[in-house]
Amino acid sequence: MIVNHEEFRTYVQSRGAALLRVANQLTGNPSDAEDLLQTALARTYLAWDRIRDRSSLDGYVRRAMVNINISWWRRRKLEEYPSEEIPDIPVQQDARHRYDELEQALDRLPARQRTAIVLRYYEDMTEPEIARTLGISVGTVKSSVSRGMAKLRGDLVVPDARKRVN
């Protein structure tokens, strides 16, 4: 295996931050995102000499992250347990709280919907690009994004609207 170390290093330096954002959206946890990206880049490094089209590197790494993340989900044991009492959650109006709500709402989506939304709106990929990256049809991408956005809209209701009873 002959790998151009400098070319790989340059790629990681130039695209690392953007790829880390995708990894963070896929995992919802910064430390898991770093592990996911590192694992995907290690696999990319091992396949570096087989990747002929350097313009498709981002897609290769994103696809690797999706596949690795799915493998991790399958291995993960139940980490949350049912409880008799639901804790009260204070309502906060600051921007960080809204961002956290969005992150939590994304975490509640099924994997395909979350991945499609992250690639569409965070990575600004087109539907055909997402379809190629995930190995699914454009129609499946459209329905996944549409259903996911509908769930997000229902999940992210303005706090005052939750109190109204008609």
Side-chain angles (χ1 to χ4, degrees):
M1 171 175 66
I2 300 172
V3 176
N4 183 336
H5 302 291
E6 187 60 33
E7 184 182 15
F8 181 78
R9 188 172 71 73
T10 301
Y11 170 72
V12 172
Q13 285 177 333
S14 67
R15 298 298 301 148
L19 293 169
L20 183 58
R21 283 192 300 274
V22 174
N24 194 37
Q25 293 304 315
L26 290 172
T27 63
N29 179 314
S31 61
D32 288 342
E34 290 173 355
D35 291 343
L36 177 62
L37 179 57
Q38 183 177 16
T39 303
L41 288 174
R43 289 189 184 177
T44 303
Y45 181 80
L46 293 174
W48 191 257
D49 59 332
R50 294 189 312 258
I51 302 172
R52 301 279 181 241
D53 182 10
R54 295 295 193 228
S55 65
S56 66
L57 283 170
D58 280 1
Y60 183 93
V61 175
R62 281 193 298 263
R63 182 65 182 165
M65 286 192 292
V66 168
N67 290 343
I68 293 163
N69 201 33
I70 289 170
S71 295
W72 288 354
W73 291 331
R74 290 178 180 154
R75 290 188 198 132
R76 213 172 270 148
K77 293 181 180 178
L78 182 64
E79 295 176 359
E80 297 177 12
Y81 300 94
S83 173
E84 291 287 327
E85 296 178 27
I86 299 176
D88 288 335
I89 301 172
V91 176
Q92 298 174 358
Q93 299 286 331
D94 63 338
R96 180 65 195 173
H97 176 71
R98 294 300 289 168
Y99 178 80
D100 290 342
E101 281 184 17
L102 176 60
E103 292 293 317
Q104 292 166 3
L106 279 169
D107 287 343
R108 288 189 290 269
L109 291 177
R112 180 179 285 167
Q113 290 176 4
R114 178 176 54 247
T115 302
I117 287 172
V118 166
L119 294 177
R120 178 70 185 102
Y121 295 106
Y122 282 78
E123 282 299 303
D124 201 28
M125 292 174 67
T126 65
E127 289 162 344
E129 289 172 331
I130 296 168
R132 280 192 303 276
T133 299
L134 299 179
I136 58 178
S137 71
V138 173
T140 302
V141 170
K142 289 179 180 183
S143 65
S144 295
V145 169
S146 176
R147 289 180 183 138
M149 291 302 291
K151 286 182 181 181
L152 286 175
R153 283 184 197 103
D155 226 4
L156 297 173
V157 177
V158 176
D160 293 336
R162 292 180 187 163
K163 295 177 185 174
R164 290 187 196 135
V165 177
N166 293 329

